[in-house]
Amino acid sequence: MIYAVFKATVTDPVALAAYRDRAGAALARHGGKVEQATPAASALDGAPQVPDVVAILSFPDAGAARAWINDPDLADLHALRRSAGPSEILLLG
């Protein structure tokens, strides 16, 4: 099992809602799932920039995570997520 952290600053909540409606099924295509998500993250230590949305994603392995992000059938969905505002996905491993 490998994890990824999704962070987003939302500038278009409608686009993010549309993305969320389809994101679970897209993750599942590659064995992934959302373990936890929140619009209410807070700094525990230090002074990081706290995004509007944070999620922990899990995948069976790094190859599955890379297959999900590079899946040509999901390109429009990833573009929709990116249109909702700046986002980052960090693979932990």
Side-chain angles (χ1 to χ4, degrees), residues 17-52:
Y19 171 76
R20 265 195 320 254
D21 288 345
R22 298 172 45 204
L27 282 164
R29 284 177 59 158
H30 295 281
K33 70 178 190 171
V34 176
E35 295 290 341
Q36 182 71 38
T38 183
S42 59
L44 186 59
D45 189 30
Q49 282 190 292
V50 178
D52 296 322

Side-chain angles (χ1 to χ4, degrees), residues 1 3-4 6 9 15 19 23-24 26-28 30-31 40 43 45 55 62-63 73 78 86:
M1 183 72 60
Y3 297 93
F6 166 77
T9 300
Y19 171 76
L27 282 164
H30 295 281
D45 189 30
D73 292 336
H78 292 304

Side-chain angles (χ1 to χ4, degrees):
M1 183 72 60
I2 195 164
Y3 297 93
V5 177
F6 166 77
K7 304 185 305 179
T9 300
V10 181
T11 58
D12 185 344
V14 173
L16 184 64
Y19 171 76
R20 265 195 320 254
D21 288 345
R22 298 172 45 204
L27 282 164
R29 284 177 59 158
H30 295 281
K33 70 178 190 171
V34 176
E35 295 290 341
Q36 182 71 38
T38 183
S42 59
L44 186 59
D45 189 30
Q49 282 190 292
V50 178
D52 296 322
V53 178
V54 178
I56 303 296
L57 312 176
S58 66
F59 294 91
D61 53 43
R66 289 186 178 94
W68 165 74
I69 201 68
N70 293 315
D71 186 334
D73 292 336
L74 299 177
D76 289 345
L77 184 61
H78 292 304
L80 179 60
R81 172 181 45 80
R82 291 178 187 113
S83 77
S87 66
E88 299 175 334
I89 302 173
L90 305 170
L91 191 60
L92 305 181

